[in-house]
Amino acid sequence: MPSDMVNVRYLVDDVEASIDWYTRHLGFAVLTNYAPAFADVSRGSLRLLLSGPTSSAARPMSDGAQPRAGGWNRIHLIVDDLAKEVARLKAEGAQFRNDMVKGPGGAQVLLVDPSGNLVELFQPANR
């Protein structure tokens, strides 16, 4: 792995469904596939680790807490035309958590992966 690669781990319910979703909708490329336990995909300098229910990352903690998918942390992807991306993704059947929100810094929307994890699509105000 290059030293400038950023690694983010998402717990997912189904590794194969997640691979399909990230590669089909967001242009990620598969690095490794050890489904059903684990896979990793990349886009630019982002390596996304997809850890399924049988992965070591999903094992219970010493206090009994069970890691699971669908938190509010998210990866943040910059797009050139948010409205166009939202239209494309909706046509492909992708689900969104909210409607587009605009502020002084730009516009954003939350896309939901098959396990409930969020991907923020963001268009800076100057684009």
Side-chain angles (χ1 to χ4, degrees):
M1 290 291 117
S3 62
D4 62 345
M5 174 103 18
V6 175
N7 298 287
V8 174
R9 182 182 307 279
Y10 270 178
L11 295 175
V12 299
D13 298 322
D14 182 324
V15 171
E16 288 289 357
S18 297
I19 292 170
D20 177 62
W21 191 86
Y22 280 96
T23 58
R24 183 166 36 98
H25 292 306
L26 298 176
F28 280 76
V30 177
L31 296 174
T32 60
N33 182 350
Y34 298 107
F38 173 84
D40 57 345
V41 294
S42 68
R43 176 179 159 167
S45 296
L46 172 62
R47 176 177 170 236
L48 185 58
L49 297 86
L50 304 169
S51 297
T54 61
S55 70
S56 59
R59 291 180 186 155
M61 303 290 106
S62 57
D63 66 358
Q66 182 70 46
R68 61 188 173 131
W72 284 95
N73 293 323
R74 55 198 179 249
I75 58 174
H76 179 267
L77 301 177
I78 299 199
V79 299
D80 290 324
D81 186 332
L82 186 58
K84 183 177 177 180
E85 281 298 299
V86 168
R88 178 184 69 81
L89 290 162
K90 282 185 177 180
E92 293 175 0
Q95 301 297 309
F96 290 86
R97 179 83 170 117
N98 65 333
D99 294 324
M100 191 183 319
V101 176
K102 294 182 181 179
Q108 64 179 286
V109 69
L110 299 177
L111 185 60
V112 183
D113 84 359
S115 299
N117 295 305
L118 300 175
V119 175
E120 180 180 326
L121 301 179
F122 180 78
Q123 178 183 340
N126 61 353
R127 289 194 181 183

